[in-house]
Structures are given as C-alpha cells and as structure tokens.
Amino acid sequence: MELKIGHLYPDVLNLYGDRGNILCMEKRLQWRGIDVVTTGVPIGEPLKASDFDLLFIGGGQDFEQEVLLADLAGAKTAELKAAIEDGIPVLAICGGYQMLGAYYKTWDGHQCDFTGALDLYTVGSKERMIGNYAFACDELGVNVVGFENHSGKTWLGPSVKPMGTVLAGFGNNGEDKTEGARYKNVFATYSHGCLLPKNPALADHILKTALERKYGQIDLAPLDDHLEHSAHDYMERRLSRN
Ligand code: GLN
C-alpha cells in the first residue's frame, strides 16, 4: 500500500512546526510497512488533486495568508473544492483551516476572500487566543490536546459540524465552545504542529480514512504509543487543573 500526501503551500504556511503533522503521518505509515510520498504544492505550482490521497494545509500569519490569495484564486480554488466534494481527506490547521472558509476579515480590516469550500467564515479580533488547549472529539470519543494561536474567530454554518467541544482554551471563537470543523473527509482545527504526535488516535483515524478511500476496508496494526500517550495525558492533566 502507498499513500500520496499533497502539502499545500509548504513555502508560506508552516507555523509552530505544522509540518510535524506530516512527519507523524509518514512515520506511522512507515512503521506499518506502508509507503508514503509527500509532495509540496507551493505558490506557482498547479494543484492536481487526483495525484494525491490526502491533502495537508498548515497555518500562517495574516501576512502569509494575504500573500497566497492571488495564487489560490481561480484554478486552485476550483480544484480544491471539487476534490473536497469528491471526498479527498484533508487535514487543515489554523490559517489553512480559515482558508477553507468563505473569507477571513483580519482584525485591522483586510478582507481575504478564500475558497468557500466549507460553510464557515472568520473574523479577526484584537484579542489573540493563545495557549495549550483541549477539546472533546465527538467522533472519536477521545479528548484531543493541542496548541492554538489565532486572532481569527471562526463561525460554522449549518452544513459543517465542529470537530469537538472545547474543554480548556478557546477553540473556534472563544464563545460557543466549538472547535474545528468536519465536512465530508475534511478535518480542520486550530491545533498546530503537536496535533497528531500528541493524539495518535486522531492521526490513525485520518490515515485510515485516506487508506480506506483508496483500498477499501483495512485494519491498521497497533503501534507502541506509550510515549505519545504520556505526553497527551500530562497536558490533559495540566489543563484540567486550570
Ligand atoms: N493569521 C490567522 C489568525 O491569526 C491564523 C494564525 C495561525 O495560523 N496561527 O487568526
């Protein structure tokens, strides 16, 4: 078996080690004898979604999000939307998550018109939402720990479900207790580079979704995740004391 990962905008969207999520997926596949090839799709490179089994988009500051707007508009947006409707698995983080919505209006009034692939939008606020946080992931029945840093407050429309319910921290907007977005096979979250390394159940769920779309029903061999679980449990305990 082989998984082809497309990394959208590795040149501009890679905050807080977001690429660590790709390294984590690569390792978890390789440890099970599954081949993996990751290819960057930077500014100036067309996106051909049929070349990939899974897409990854990292986070970025407002500046980088504005830099990529011209490249994203048109063909890349159309390709991304069609692939999402067709069920391609996508993991999108923070700025990459916001990019899947209709727009992001920054705190100082810049309007970034994004893809509209998902029924959501983001409005910047002066207060930044920063820190370690945790949310209950409804779909997996596990608590996910992560790190967030955003000024954008994201609001979901009716066709999109949240990834989970905030237990500690801010999540989508610091107001309605929702965190992240789920639509078809899209997993979008404010949690940065430590997301998959610290939450192996979520990592495997995304990998299984991508592998099963390509190969049909499969069972992923269990891995020794005791270090991952102790990192996760330590942070979960710390956050529950706040
Ligand atoms: N620039 C966006 C915000 O501040 C996204 C930040 C990020 O990706 N960490 O909301």
Side-chain angles (χ1 to χ4, degrees):
M1 288 193 285
E2 182 193 57
L3 211 66
K4 295 196 179 96
I5 301 176
H7 184 177
L8 241 77
Y9 297 121
D11 46 345
V12 276
L13 297 181
N14 181 32
L15 268 184
Y16 303 114
D18 283 338
R19 204 176 74 84
N21 287 309
I22 291 187
L23 297 177
C24 176
M25 291 192 283
E26 288 175 343
K27 283 291 169 201
R28 296 186 76 80
L29 290 164
Q30 288 160 353
W31 286 332
R32 292 166 163 127
I34 301 169
D35 293 331
V36 54
V37 180
T38 302
T39 308
V41 184
I43 288 178
E45 197 76 40
L47 170 66
K48 195 167 156 235
S50 58
D51 285 349
F52 302 115
D53 306 309
L54 193 153
L55 294 176
F56 176 82
I57 319 169
Q61 300 175 58
D62 294 2
F63 175 76
E64 282 93 19
Q65 289 177 287
E66 287 173 40
V67 163
L68 61 77
L69 281 179
D71 182 80
L72 179 65
K76 246 182 196 156
T77 288
E79 182 75 1
L80 189 58
K81 281 173 92 164
I84 286 173
E85 286 304 310
D86 191 43
I88 194 166
V90 180
L91 174 60
I93 313 290
C94 199
Y97 166 22
Q98 296 172 349
M99 203 181 95
L100 296 181
Y103 64 86
Y104 170 37
K105 192 167 181 184
T106 66
W107 67 274
D108 56 352
H110 290 247
Q111 171 95 11
C112 300
D113 285 321
F114 282 141
T115 62
L118 268 60
D119 180 16
L120 56 91
Y121 66 92
T122 304
V123 180
S125 66
K126 282 210 172 135
E127 154 213 31
R128 288 202 75 82
M129 290 157 274
I130 307 180
N132 291 298
Y133 76 127
F135 61 96
C137 179
D138 311 328
E139 182 173 355
L140 293 180
V142 298
N143 293 342
V144 171
V145 295
F147 174 79
E148 61 183 328
N149 183 356
H150 51 111
S151 86
K153 294 187 170 199
T154 296
W155 302 95
L156 306 183
S159 66
V160 176
K161 287 201 182 85
M163 277 235 330
T165 308
V166 174
L167 300 169
F170 299 92
N172 279 339
N173 48 55
E175 295 181 38
D176 66 9
K177 293 273 175 205
T178 64
E179 157 55 21
R182 282 283 287 115
Y183 174 72
K184 297 206 173 207
N185 287 327
V186 177
F187 300 80
T189 172
Y190 270 109
S191 177
H192 279 282
C194 56
L195 174 75
L196 298 186
K198 278 192 196 154
N199 299 281
L202 180 60
D204 281 355
H205 182 62
I206 294 170
L207 292 175
K208 195 166 158 43
T209 302
L211 287 166
E212 290 195 334
R213 180 166 177 265
K214 188 170 185 182
Y215 295 108
Q217 210 265 318
I218 55 134
D219 287 316
L220 282 179
L223 298 174
D224 175 6
D225 284 329
H226 77 277
L227 286 175
E228 289 80 352
H229 287 306
S230 61
H232 171 280
D233 295 351
Y234 173 82
M235 185 49 73
E236 194 177 21
R237 276 195 303 275
R238 219 176 94 179
L239 289 168
S240 69
R241 282 199 296 267
N242 289 344

